[in-house]
Amino acid sequence: EILASCTSIVSVDQNGNVIHGRNLDYPFHPYLANLAVHYEFYRKGELLYEGDGSAAFLGIVTGMRPGAFGISINERSKGGALSTIYEIMLRRTFSVPFYIRRVLERAENFTAAVELLSSEEFAAPCYLTVSCVAKNEGVVITRDRRGVYNVSQIDFDSQDQWFLVQTNYDRDVPDPASD
């Protein structure tokens, strides 16, 4: 949330298969690569969900509940590091990567995941890409700290919306020329 760079994509192929991918394009990636961890969480011997993060950090930046949905987070630069720390420490709002773990644990399907990700107050604004196994179940939720700013929905039958790509910029404004 404080130092984030990434791109997420959700798309649908010609057979209706949903594809969810992402990259973490941090400038310090040579160091981060050595700390990358893939987590698997089990309940009663069954895989409940899995996700990726960094060693010594228990939040999830990319996760999947098998047969149900996947989530990835992108930074949304609105506010800054100090206000995020204030939100976590003093207001006790959720750190988004930790809340993603909660959603992966509690939501049993795409709709429930989208509802949970849309309803909680967060410590930082962000973009949440959520995918599912059904061809039109893919969204990008643009979040402010207190609620949803915008939701973009995938549409398999559309010429323009059969995929969604989310960088670190709002979808309704042009990307900066410097990027």
Side-chain angles (χ1 to χ4, degrees):
E1 296 166 298
I2 294 173
L3 296 172
S5 292
C6 40
T7 300
S8 294
I9 182 169
V10 61
S11 65
V12 181
D13 71 13
Q14 64 272 17
N15 298 319
N17 299 308
V18 177
I19 302 162
H20 186 160
R22 71 101 37 82
N23 75 339
L24 295 171
D25 50 357
Y26 292 107
F28 47 88
H29 69 275
Y31 309 104
L32 188 62
N34 293 327
L35 299 173
V37 177
H38 181 78
Y39 299 102
E40 293 182 350
F41 297 85
Y42 290 82
R43 180 180 288 156
K44 297 181 182 175
E46 296 289 323
L47 177 65
L48 183 62
Y49 66 94
E50 56 190 296
D52 300 320
S54 300
F57 176 70
L58 299 177
I60 301 261
V61 294
T62 306
M64 177 186 73
R65 185 164 176 156
F69 59 91
I71 306 171
S72 59
I73 180 178
N74 291 29
E75 176 206 22
R76 183 173 183 230
S77 296
K78 304 276 184 186
L82 288 178
S83 56
T84 298
I85 292 168
Y86 166 82
E87 291 289 327
I88 293 170
M89 301 300 288
L90 298 176
R91 288 202 71 245
R92 303 283 191 206
T93 54
F94 276 102
S95 165
V96 183
F98 284 94
Y99 192 71
I100 287 174
R101 283 187 56 182
R102 178 176 280 197
V103 171
L104 288 163
E105 182 178 323
R106 296 182 179 180
E108 294 185 8
N109 56 51
F110 171 83
T111 301
V114 170
E115 288 175 8
L116 286 170
L117 292 166
S118 300
S119 61
E120 188 63 51
E121 288 190 16
F122 290 154
C126 63
Y127 305 100
L128 295 158
T129 302
V130 187
S131 62
C132 191
V133 293
K135 69 180 184 181
N136 281 330
E137 290 187 330
V139 297
V140 172
I141 306 167
T142 303
R143 284 295 314 257
D144 291 323
R145 284 187 167 96
R146 306 291 174 254
V148 173
Y149 173 79
N150 183 40
V151 176
S152 299
Q153 175 82 36
I154 202 167
D155 182 357
F156 176 72
D157 299 318
S158 168
Q159 291 290 325
D160 299 328
Q161 289 294 113
W162 60 272
F163 68 94
L164 297 171
V165 176
Q166 185 60 55
T167 60
N168 302 111
Y169 307 112
D170 285 357
R171 303 176 66 75
D172 59 348
V173 296
D175 290 351
S178 62
D179 190 6

Coordinates of all heavy atoms in Angstrom, one line a residue, residues 8 10 20 60-61 70-76 96-97 99-100 103 113-114 116-120 122 124-131 138-144 148 150-152 164 166-167:
S8 N -2.6 -5.3 -13.3 CA -3.4 -6.5 -13.3 C -4.3 -6.5 -14.5 O -4.6 -5.5 -15.1 CB -4.3 -6.4 -12.1 OG -3.6 -6.5 -10.9
V10 N -7.6 -8.9 -16.3 CA -8.5 -10.0 -16.4 C -9.1 -10.0 -17.8 O -9.5 -8.9 -18.3 CB -9.6 -9.9 -15.3 CG1 -10.5 -8.7 -15.4 CG2 -10.5 -11.1 -15.2
H20 N -6.6 -14.3 -15.4 CA -6.3 -13.3 -14.5 C -4.8 -13.3 -14.3 O -4.2 -14.3 -13.9 CB -7.0 -13.5 -13.1 CG -6.9 -12.4 -12.2 ND1 -7.8 -12.2 -11.1 CD2 -6.0 -11.4 -12.0 CE1 -7.4 -11.2 -10.4 NE2 -6.3 -10.7 -10.9
I60 N -1.6 -10.5 1.6 CA -1.7 -11.1 0.2 C -1.9 -10.0 -0.8 O -2.9 -9.3 -0.7 CB -2.8 -12.2 0.2 CG1 -2.7 -13.2 1.2 CG2 -3.0 -12.7 -1.2 CD1 -2.0 -14.5 0.8
V61 N -1.1 -10.0 -1.8 CA -1.2 -9.0 -2.9 C -1.9 -9.6 -4.1 O -2.5 -9.0 -4.9 CB 0.1 -8.3 -3.3 CG1 0.6 -7.5 -2.1 CG2 1.1 -9.3 -3.7
G70 N -10.4 -15.0 -7.9 CA -9.1 -14.5 -7.7 C -9.1 -13.0 -7.5 O -10.0 -12.3 -7.9
I71 N -8.1 -12.5 -6.8 CA -8.0 -11.1 -6.4 C -6.5 -10.6 -6.6 O -5.6 -11.4 -6.2 CB -8.3 -10.8 -4.9 CG1 -9.7 -11.4 -4.6 CG2 -8.3 -9.3 -4.6 CD1 -9.9 -11.3 -3.1
S72 N -6.4 -9.4 -7.2 CA -5.1 -8.8 -7.1 C -5.3 -7.3 -6.8 O -6.3 -6.7 -7.1 CB -4.3 -8.9 -8.5 OG -5.0 -8.4 -9.5
I73 N -4.3 -6.7 -6.2 CA -4.3 -5.3 -5.7 C -3.3 -4.5 -6.5 O -2.2 -5.0 -6.7 CB -4.1 -5.2 -4.2 CG1 -4.2 -3.7 -3.7 CG2 -2.8 -5.8 -3.8 CD1 -4.0 -3.5 -2.3
N74 N -3.7 -3.3 -6.8 CA -2.8 -2.3 -7.4 C -2.9 -1.0 -6.5 O -4.0 -0.7 -6.0 CB -3.2 -1.9 -8.8 CG -3.0 -3.0 -9.8 OD1 -3.0 -4.2 -9.5 ND2 -2.8 -2.6 -11.1
E75 N -1.8 -0.3 -6.4 CA -1.7 0.9 -5.7 C -2.6 2.0 -6.5 O -2.6 2.0 -7.7 CB -0.3 1.5 -5.6 CG -0.2 2.8 -4.9 CD 1.0 3.6 -5.3 OE1 1.6 3.4 -6.4 OE2 1.3 4.5 -4.6
R76 N -3.2 2.8 -5.7 CA -3.9 4.0 -6.2 C -3.4 5.2 -5.5 O -3.6 5.3 -4.3 CB -5.4 3.9 -6.0 CG -6.2 5.0 -6.6 CD -7.7 4.8 -6.6 NE -8.4 5.9 -7.2 CZ -9.4 6.6 -6.6 NH1 -9.9 6.2 -5.4 NH2 -10.0 7.5 -7.3
V96 N -5.2 -3.2 3.2 CA -5.8 -4.0 2.1 C -5.3 -5.4 1.9 O -6.1 -6.3 1.8 CB -5.8 -3.2 0.8 CG1 -6.6 -3.9 -0.3 CG2 -6.4 -1.8 1.0
P97 N -3.9 -5.6 1.9 CA -3.5 -7.0 1.8 C -3.9 -7.9 2.9 O -4.2 -9.1 2.7 CB -1.9 -6.8 1.8 CG -1.7 -5.4 1.3 CD -2.8 -4.6 1.9
Y99 N -6.8 -7.5 4.5 CA -8.3 -7.7 4.2 C -8.5 -8.7 3.1 O -9.4 -9.5 3.1 CB -9.0 -6.4 3.9 CG -10.5 -6.5 4.0 CD1 -11.1 -6.7 5.2 CD2 -11.2 -6.5 2.8 CE1 -12.5 -6.9 5.2 CE2 -12.6 -6.7 2.8 CZ -13.2 -6.8 4.0 OH -14.6 -7.0 4.0
I100 N -7.6 -8.7 2.1 CA -7.7 -9.7 1.0 C -7.7 -11.1 1.6 O -8.4 -12.0 1.2 CB -6.6 -9.5 0.0 CG1 -6.9 -8.2 -0.8 CG2 -6.5 -10.7 -0.9 CD1 -5.9 -7.8 -1.8
V103 N -11.1 -11.9 2.9 CA -12.0 -12.1 1.8 C -11.8 -13.5 1.3 O -12.8 -14.3 1.1 CB -11.9 -11.1 0.7 CG1 -12.8 -11.5 -0.5 CG2 -12.4 -9.7 1.3
A113 N -17.2 -12.1 -2.7 CA -15.9 -11.4 -2.7 C -16.1 -9.9 -3.1 O -15.5 -9.0 -2.4 CB -14.9 -12.1 -3.6
V114 N -16.8 -9.7 -4.2 CA -17.0 -8.3 -4.7 C -17.7 -7.5 -3.6 O -17.3 -6.3 -3.3 CB -17.7 -8.3 -6.0 CG1 -18.1 -6.9 -6.4 CG2 -16.8 -8.9 -7.1
L116 N -17.8 -7.9 -0.3 CA -16.9 -7.7 0.8 C -15.8 -6.6 0.5 O -15.5 -5.7 1.3 CB -16.2 -9.0 1.3 CG -17.1 -10.0 2.1 CD1 -16.3 -11.3 2.2 CD2 -17.5 -9.4 3.4
L117 N -15.3 -6.7 -0.7 CA -14.2 -5.8 -1.1 C -14.8 -4.4 -1.4 O -14.0 -3.4 -1.4 CB -13.5 -6.3 -2.4 CG -12.7 -7.5 -2.2 CD1 -12.3 -8.2 -3.5 CD2 -11.4 -7.2 -1.4
S118 N -16.1 -4.3 -1.6 CA -16.7 -3.0 -1.8 C -17.3 -2.3 -0.6 O -17.6 -1.1 -0.6 CB -17.9 -3.2 -2.8 OG -17.4 -3.7 -4.0
S119 N -17.3 -3.0 0.5 CA -18.1 -2.5 1.7 C -17.2 -2.0 2.9 O -17.7 -1.3 3.7 CB -19.0 -3.6 2.2 OG -18.3 -4.7 2.6
E120 N -16.0 -2.5 3.0 CA -15.1 -2.2 4.1 C -14.3 -0.9 3.9 O -14.0 -0.6 2.8 CB -14.2 -3.4 4.4 CG -13.4 -3.3 5.6 CD -14.2 -3.3 6.9 OE1 -15.1 -4.2 7.0 OE2 -14.1 -2.4 7.7
F122 N -10.9 1.0 4.1 CA -9.5 0.6 4.0 C -8.5 1.7 4.4 O -8.8 2.9 4.4 CB -9.2 0.3 2.5 CG -9.8 -1.0 2.0 CD1 -10.1 -1.1 0.7 CD2 -10.2 -2.0 2.8 CE1 -10.6 -2.3 0.2 CE2 -10.8 -3.2 2.4 CZ -11.0 -3.3 1.0
A124 N -5.9 2.5 2.7 CA -5.3 3.1 1.5 C -6.3 3.0 0.3 O -6.9 1.9 0.2 CB -4.0 2.6 1.2
P125 N -6.3 4.0 -0.5 CA -7.1 3.8 -1.8 C -6.4 2.7 -2.6 O -5.2 2.5 -2.5 CB -7.0 5.1 -2.5 CG -6.5 6.1 -1.5 CD -5.7 5.3 -0.4
C126 N -7.1 2.0 -3.5 CA -6.5 1.0 -4.3 C -7.4 0.6 -5.4 O -8.5 1.0 -5.6 CB -6.2 -0.3 -3.4 SG -7.7 -1.0 -2.7
Y127 N -6.8 -0.3 -6.3 CA -7.6 -0.9 -7.4 C -7.6 -2.4 -7.0 O -6.5 -3.0 -6.8 CB -6.9 -0.7 -8.7 CG -6.7 0.7 -9.1 CD1 -5.5 1.3 -8.9 CD2 -7.8 1.5 -9.5 CE1 -5.3 2.6 -9.2 CE2 -7.6 2.8 -9.8 CZ -6.3 3.4 -9.7 OH -6.1 4.7 -10.0
L128 N -8.7 -3.0 -7.1 CA -8.9 -4.5 -6.8 C -9.4 -5.1 -8.1 O -10.5 -4.8 -8.5 CB -9.8 -4.7 -5.6 CG -9.3 -4.2 -4.3 CD1 -10.4 -4.0 -3.3 CD2 -8.2 -5.1 -3.7
T129 N -8.7 -6.0 -8.6 CA -9.1 -6.8 -9.8 C -9.6 -8.1 -9.3 O -8.9 -8.8 -8.6 CB -8.0 -7.0 -10.8 OG1 -7.5 -5.7 -11.2 CG2 -8.5 -7.7 -12.0
V130 N -10.8 -8.5 -9.6 CA -11.4 -9.7 -9.1 C -11.9 -10.5 -10.3 O -12.6 -10.0 -11.2 CB -12.6 -9.4 -8.1 CG1 -13.1 -10.7 -7.5 CG2 -12.2 -8.4 -7.1
S131 N -11.5 -11.8 -10.3 CA -11.9 -12.7 -11.4 C -12.7 -13.9 -10.9 O -12.7 -14.1 -9.7 CB -10.7 -13.1 -12.2 OG -9.8 -13.9 -11.4
G138 N -15.7 -10.7 -14.0 CA -14.4 -10.0 -13.8 C -14.7 -8.5 -13.6 O -15.4 -7.9 -14.4
V139 N -14.1 -8.0 -12.6 CA -14.3 -6.5 -12.3 C -13.0 -5.9 -11.9 O -12.1 -6.6 -11.4 CB -15.4 -6.3 -11.3 CG1 -16.7 -6.7 -11.7 CG2 -15.0 -6.8 -9.9
V140 N -12.9 -4.6 -12.0 CA -11.9 -3.8 -11.4 C -12.7 -2.8 -10.5 O -13.5 -2.1 -10.9 CB -11.0 -3.0 -12.3 CG1 -10.1 -2.0 -11.6 CG2 -10.2 -3.9 -13.2
I141 N -12.4 -2.9 -9.2 CA -13.1 -2.0 -8.2 C -12.1 -1.0 -7.8 O -11.0 -1.2 -7.3 CB -13.5 -2.8 -6.9 CG1 -14.3 -4.0 -7.2 CG2 -14.2 -1.9 -5.9 CD1 -14.5 -5.0 -6.1
T142 N -12.4 0.3 -8.2 CA -11.6 1.4 -7.8 C -12.1 1.9 -6.4 O -13.2 2.3 -6.3 CB -11.7 2.5 -8.8 OG1 -11.3 2.0 -10.1 CG2 -10.8 3.7 -8.5
R143 N -11.2 1.8 -5.4 CA -11.5 2.1 -4.1 C -10.9 3.4 -3.6 O -9.7 3.7 -3.7 CB -11.0 1.0 -3.2 CG -11.9 -0.3 -3.2 CD -13.3 -0.1 -2.7 NE -13.3 0.7 -1.5 CZ -13.4 0.2 -0.2 NH1 -13.7 -1.1 -0.1 NH2 -13.4 0.9 0.8
D144 N -11.7 4.2 -2.9 CA -11.3 5.3 -2.0 C -11.1 4.6 -0.6 O -11.5 3.4 -0.4 CB -12.3 6.4 -1.9 CG -12.4 7.2 -3.2 OD1 -11.3 7.4 -3.8 OD2 -13.5 7.6 -3.5
V148 N -16.4 2.8 -2.5 CA -16.1 2.5 -4.0 C -16.2 3.8 -4.8 O -17.1 4.6 -4.6 CB -17.1 1.5 -4.5 CG1 -17.0 1.3 -6.0 CG2 -17.0 0.2 -3.8
N150 N -15.5 3.6 -8.3 CA -15.9 3.1 -9.6 C -15.8 1.6 -9.7 O -14.9 1.0 -9.1 CB -15.0 3.8 -10.7 CG -15.5 3.4 -12.1 OD1 -16.7 3.3 -12.4 ND2 -14.6 3.2 -13.0
V151 N -16.6 1.0 -10.5 CA -16.5 -0.5 -10.8 C -16.6 -0.6 -12.3 O -17.5 -0.1 -13.0 CB -17.6 -1.3 -10.1 CG1 -17.5 -2.8 -10.6 CG2 -17.6 -1.2 -8.6
S152 N -15.6 -1.3 -12.9 CA -15.6 -1.7 -14.3 C -15.8 -3.2 -14.4 O -15.1 -3.9 -13.8 CB -14.3 -1.3 -15.0 OG -14.1 0.1 -14.8
L164 N -10.0 -6.3 -19.1 CA -9.8 -5.1 -18.3 C -8.3 -5.1 -17.9 O -7.8 -6.1 -17.4 CB -10.6 -5.1 -17.0 CG -12.1 -5.1 -17.2 CD1 -12.8 -5.3 -15.9 CD2 -12.6 -3.7 -17.8
Q166 N -5.6 -2.9 -15.5 CA -5.6 -1.9 -14.5 C -4.1 -1.6 -14.1 O -3.4 -2.5 -13.7 CB -6.4 -2.3 -13.2 CG -6.4 -1.2 -12.2 CD -7.1 0.1 -12.7 OE1 -8.2 0.0 -13.2 NE2 -6.4 1.2 -12.6
T167 N -3.7 -0.4 -14.3 CA -2.4 0.0 -13.8 C -2.6 0.8 -12.5 O -3.4 0.4 -11.7 CB -1.7 0.9 -14.9 OG1 -2.5 2.1 -15.1 CG2 -1.5 0.2 -16.2

